[in-house]
Amino acid sequence: MPGERQTAVKYYVGVDVGSASVRAALVDGSGTVVAHAEQPIQVWEPRPDHYEQSSADIWAACCSVTKEVVRGVDASQIRGLGFDATCSLVVVDKQFQPLAVNSEGQTHRNVIMWMDHRAASQVQRINATQHRVLNYVGGTMSVEMQPPKLLWIKENLPESWEKVGYFFDLPDFLSWKATGVTARSLCTVVCKWTYTSERGWDDSFWKMIGLEDLVKDKYEKIGNHVLSPGEAVGKGLTPDAAKDLGLPEGIAVAASLIDAHAGGLGVIGADVKGHNLPCENQPITSRVAMICGTSSCHMGVSESPIFVPGVWGPYFSAMVPGLWLNEGGQSATGKLIDHVVRGHVAFPELEAKAAASAHSIYTYLNSHLDLIKKSLPVGFLTVDLHVWPDFHGNRSPLTDLTLKGMVVGLTLSRGLDELALIYLATIQAIALGTRHILEVMQAAGHDITTLFLCGGLSKNPLFVQMHADITGKPVVLSKEVESVLVGAAILGACASGDFASIQEAMAKMGKTGRVVQPNHEHKR
């Protein structure tokens, strides 16, 4: 109103550490991304199934992207900072210096990435114990969780094991870097380390698998101070971290989330009024958030614990406070599509034609499929071509990391048409994998009516439409494509005290963009 003093806009910074890059966003109180920056980070693959990173490289990237998004903004308007990251394992000594996670003794490579499958024999032994904590991971622990990786280090790198001061999940390493406080997030320790909010750590589990050393010092190495996601950590940003990040000293820093859970937080609470969706005026337990990037995660919440065979959880308060989380997943989705397309003999031709038309390779492939489909719906093109998508094992619901991928229906043709078809068949296979996960969740007691998609693959209209058609459920796309960053900023907003709860911040900062309905003619 004229004459009224305008109140300054409040901003929150979200930092997201993905598999290949670090991104930051400056987000306002209504969930709009005002500025965005990205920087690649290094991945080492010294041998098959071993993937490593450097915590120093990751932190340096966090600093440069954060400085970029807050450049020129009045520091007094920046209220809070939230981090999310992949659930990779960071190893440091008692002085917080990096320790090697490889036999080459390369100490700067001190992170075992989430997708590293080196601990296959360790996870087999852990699963053979049938310990009660496994009930909370769908009955079978994944090689991508932290206990098998810890056991691998103890058995293969005794020198590093002796020197370890702390093992951090990457999201917790970032909040420690920012605040100097070693508190862990309930999200990471519950989802990846077997902590439960009711019992805490289970001594008998660690002793049974041969990691009794962690119990001795009251779990100092893996965390004995646990906070809810979005809770303020310590006294906020330390002077050193403030200088590194280009942010004001003392601003609120939130207990973090795993990246997929931040994406879930960014989309699952969105207001859907006026879109005529089955989940309107229903509790958010009727929604599943799908975060689709390199891999995909399927997040469903419930009022009471639901045990779903082959699906992780139930995890209490691991994403939305007060609700139980089940988490399905596919270990390779974006990575699989990329692998199939780039490995095809016609890829150079595709690359040249896409460049000439100034489109991305995927936009070009989608329009090429429209050209060759004639009068039938595009899905019918693959009537004789089938992909089994478990090239990197099956995370849910079969929990079998030894499974391999398969293609049935190959011919001697090797042109662009064939590349487009195998690309389509791969997307369909991934969507059928999602349907399998949803069916198992529904059989166990979930009632799911609507999918909420975010992440890189949600920008591909063919991927989105196939998920709607194959699951038969409407798909909601968030207004901000960077939902994971909005989720991280929601944490910062919560820690700042500007919102009474995560739920309030989710509703105000999560925005619905477009709705994609299933095409029921394609059902058959």
Side-chain angles (χ1 to χ4, degrees):
M1 295 292 286
E4 267 188 35
R5 229 182 51 217
Q6 275 203 308
T7 53
V9 180
K10 291 174 177 172
Y11 293 116
Y12 312 96
V13 175
V15 177
D16 163 51
V17 179
S19 301
S21 66
V22 175
R23 303 177 308 148
L26 187 69
V27 181
D28 69 16
S30 69
T32 304
V33 174
V34 181
H36 171 263
E38 182 163 10
Q39 185 171 311
I41 47 178
Q42 213 171 337
V43 176
W44 287 270
E45 192 184 346
R47 58 192 66 162
D49 280 340
H50 287 232
Y51 294 93
E52 295 167 9
Q53 287 181 314
S54 151
S55 62
D57 176 49
I58 290 168
W59 180 250
C62 290
C63 296
S64 74
V65 290
T66 303
K67 278 181 174 152
E68 202 175 317
V69 296
V70 299
R71 195 172 290 130
V73 177
D74 177 354
S76 67
Q77 290 175 257
I78 301 170
R79 304 271 302 147
L81 168 65
F83 291 99
D84 74 78
T86 64
C87 48
S88 299
L89 177 68
V90 185
V91 186
V92 294
D93 67 15
K94 293 170 180 67
Q95 283 71 50
F96 297 97
Q97 294 307 303
L99 278 174
V101 295
N102 47 72
S103 50
E104 294 86 25
Q106 300 279 326
T107 50
H108 63 288
R109 283 163 34 200
N110 67 319
V111 179
I112 298 182
M113 278 186 79
W114 65 272
M115 60 186 184
D116 183 298
H117 283 189
R118 69 181 68 180
S121 82
Q122 285 76 13
V123 81
Q124 232 177 336
R125 279 179 274 146
I126 290 171
N127 284 324
T129 64
Q130 297 189 335
H131 192 281
R132 62 177 174 245
V133 299
L134 301 176
N135 294 339
Y136 288 86
V137 290
T140 310
M141 183 169 284
S142 162
V143 69
E144 292 169 7
M145 292 179 177
Q146 309 302 13
K149 290 174 178 167
L150 297 175
L151 191 54
W152 186 92
I153 294 172
K154 181 176 178 176
E155 292 176 352
N156 292 275
L157 303 172
E159 276 183 33
S160 287
W161 184 261
E162 285 310 311
K163 293 181 189 154
V164 168
Y166 303 90
F167 292 106
F168 285 105
D169 217 282
L170 184 52
D172 297 324
F173 171 81
L174 299 171
S175 58
W176 165 74
K177 265 310 244 187
T179 63
V181 176
T182 62
R184 307 305 205 274
S185 161
L186 195 59
C187 174
T188 58
V189 292
V190 166
C191 296
K192 304 297 167 190
W193 300 71
T194 73
Y195 188 88
T196 62
S197 26
E198 310 83 47
R199 276 197 318 270
W201 297 113
D202 190 320
D203 296 357
S204 68
F205 169 69
W206 298 100
K207 288 173 181 165
M208 188 182 274
I209 67 167
L211 291 177
E212 58 289 331
D213 352 13
L214 298 175
V215 181
K216 273 188 214 136
D217 57 4
K218 296 194 171 69
Y219 297 99
E220 179 69 21
K221 287 189 173 87
I222 60 172
N224 48 24
H225 177 206
V226 178
L227 298 172
S228 276
E231 240 182 284
V233 182
K235 296 189 169 81
L237 212 51
T238 64
D240 283 352
K243 206 167 89 198
D244 285 352
L245 293 159
L247 291 172
E249 186 184 323
I251 69 160
V253 176
S256 8
L257 279 172
I258 297 164
D259 53 354
H261 301 64
L265 204 64
V267 294
I268 204 168
D271 182 356
V272 295
K273 277 191 187 63
H275 287 281
N276 198 18
L277 285 163
C279 65
E280 193 179 330
N281 301 323
Q282 295 300 314
I284 64 168
T285 50
S286 65
R287 307 175 176 194
V288 158
M290 245 187 93
I291 300 85
C292 348
T294 309
S295 61
S296 294
C297 295
H298 307 71
M299 308 289 197
V301 289
S302 57
E303 301 274 349
S304 53
I306 299 176
F307 291 85
V308 186
V311 171
W312 297 342
Y315 300 137
F316 185 64
S317 282
M319 185 172 79
V320 182
L323 293 177
W324 293 84
L325 170 72
N326 282 109
E327 181 187 343
Q330 294 162 295
S331 289
T333 50
K335 193 175 172 68
L336 175 63
I337 294 168
D338 236 30
H339 172 81
V340 167
V341 169
R342 288 175 186 277
H344 194 278
V345 67
F347 180 68
E349 183 192 343
L350 166 66
E351 213 170 15
K353 287 189 166 161
S357 68
H359 283 119
S360 79
I361 56 174
Y362 294 117
T363 305
Y364 189 88
L365 279 172
N366 292 352
S367 56
H368 191 75
L369 285 165
D370 279 337
L371 276 179
I372 60 177
K373 71 173 189 181
K374 306 202 170 59
S375 59
L376 282 171
V378 74
F380 285 77
L381 283 170
T382 47
V383 68
D384 295 321
L385 183 64
H386 311 288
V387 174
W388 179 262
D390 294 331
F391 285 47
H392 197 48
N394 183 293
R395 187 190 298 170
S396 309
L398 304 176
T399 64
D400 184 348
L401 70 101
T402 68
L403 278 176
K404 304 286 186 279
M406 209 166 19
V407 183
V408 177
L410 293 171
T411 68
L412 291 173
S413 307
R414 40 190 292 162
L416 200 50
D417 288 4
E418 281 64 39
L419 169 47
L421 291 182
I422 197 158
Y423 157 72
L424 171 61
T426 304
I427 286 179
Q428 290 172 326
I430 290 167
L432 287 159
T434 290
R435 185 168 88 186
H436 192 185
I437 290 165
L438 298 179
E439 284 170 351
V440 170
M441 288 174 73
Q442 284 173 265
H446 280 275
D447 178 22
I448 300 156
T449 65
T450 315
L451 298 182
F452 286 68
L453 255 64
C454 67
L457 290 175
S458 70
K459 298 172 195 171
N460 181 336
L462 181 69
F463 184 89
V464 175
Q465 189 66 56
M466 284 299 140
H467 274 75
D469 292 354
I470 284 171
T471 62
K473 298 185 191 303
V475 172
V476 178
L477 299 171
S478 56
K479 191 159 185 226
E480 285 293 345
V481 286
E482 304 301 350
S483 305
V484 176
L485 283 164
V486 172
I490 285 173
L491 295 172
C494 207
S496 72
D498 291 346
F499 292 92
S501 66
I502 286 253
Q503 281 91 331
E504 187 195 338
M506 271 165 55
K508 295 230 168 88
M509 292 173 73
K511 293 258 187 310
T512 297
R514 213 158 56 78
V515 173
V516 176
Q517 291 288 351
N519 185 329
H520 291 295
E521 286 171 35
H522 299 179
K523 197 158 186 184
R524 68 189 175 86

